[in-house]
Amino acid sequence: MGSLYKNYKSGDVKNAAPGYGPNAFLTPVDYFTDLKTPVISPTPVLGEAVTIATSHVYATGKKSIEVYCVPKTVSGDGEMSGEVLGKVFRWTPKIIVAGDGPELLEMMQNLLNGSFILHIEDVKKCETGSGFVQFGSKCTPCTVVEGSFKSGTQGDGRKQFEFTLEAFDKYFYTGALEVMA
C-alpha cells in the first residue's frame, strides 16, 4: 500500500485553468448496458484506482444528453462525511443550464427524480483531446439534491436552471461518449 503514496510539491501540480469546461453530459444509468469501472492490476499504479480508460457501452439507440453549462459556473465541490474509519467524500457538483422553453423544461423535470452519470469536460481535454470528470457509478449514481430556476430583467437576469447533484464516486474518464444529436 505504501507504493500508492508519493511526495508532492507545488511544481508537481499543473493548473492551466481553474474549474471545469462548459460542456456537461447527463446520462441516465439505464442508458448503459456496460458501465465501466476502473481496472486495477495486481500492482496498482498511482491514479489507476480513479481512472476509467475503457469506453462505456450504451444500450441500442441511447446516448448521453449534452448540456451546455454557463462558463465558470460549473463546480465539483466535495466534502468529507462519515464516522471514523468510514469516511468518504460526498461530491456535490453544481451545474447551471442556461435557457428556458418547453423541451428544456420537460427534460429538467424528468431529471429531478432520476439516477444518472454526470460527465463534465476536464480542462485537460483542451490540451490532450480527451478527458472528463465522471460523477457517479452504477452502484451509486448521481441524484439531484437541490434545484432552482432563475430569471430576471436586471443585470445578468438570464433564464437558467441551477442544480446541485450528489455523488459518492468521482472518476477521471478518458473513454468516448456517445452524444445525442
Side-chain angles (χ1 to χ4, degrees):
M1 180 118 168
S3 65
L4 293 177
Y5 297 99
K6 178 182 170 184
N7 289 325
Y8 282 97
K9 48 192 177 292
S10 62
D12 293 331
V13 181
K14 305 217 181 339
N15 188 14
Y20 295 129
N23 295 315
F25 304 88
L26 295 169
T27 315
V29 173
D30 59 356
Y31 278 27
F32 296 106
T33 57
D34 187 10
L35 195 54
K36 303 293 184 181
T37 57
V39 176
I40 302 172
S41 60
T43 307
V45 176
L46 187 64
E48 193 174 34
V50 291
T51 301
I52 301 172
T54 309
S55 296
H56 300 311
V57 179
Y58 290 83
T60 304
K62 303 293 186 185
K63 295 182 179 182
S64 295
I65 303 162
E66 184 173 11
V67 179
Y68 175 75
C69 298
V70 178
K72 298 183 182 179
T73 63
V74 181
S75 70
D77 303 336
E79 60 184 44
M80 200 178 335
S81 66
E83 300 297 322
V84 175
L85 300 178
K87 294 186 183 298
V88 295
F89 271 102
R90 176 182 172 262
W91 301 100
T92 54
K94 296 176 179 129
I95 59 172
I96 294 179
V97 182
D100 190 19
E103 296 87 358
L104 186 59
L105 176 60
E106 183 176 344
M107 187 177 91
M108 295 297 110
Q109 288 175 330
N110 288 334
L111 291 174
L112 291 180
N113 296 303
S115 296
F116 51 91
I117 303 298
L118 172 67
H119 289 98
I120 300 175
E121 272 185 336
D122 194 358
V123 173
K124 291 180 182 179
K125 185 171 178 13
C126 295
E127 300 168 5
T128 63
S130 69
F132 298 92
V133 176
Q134 174 180 313
F135 291 99
S137 66
K138 183 177 184 176
C139 295
T140 55
C142 279
T143 56
V144 176
V145 292
E146 191 176 286
S148 65
F149 177 79
K150 297 201 186 310
S151 70
T153 56
Q154 303 294 320
D156 70 342
R158 63 180 167 247
K159 299 178 276 187
Q160 63 190 26
F161 291 89
E162 299 179 6
F163 289 108
T164 300
L165 312 171
E166 178 180 66
F168 290 94
D169 291 327
K170 176 182 177 180
Y171 300 108
F172 293 88
Y173 180 71
T174 58
L177 289 179
E178 294 182 27
V179 182
M180 285 186 191

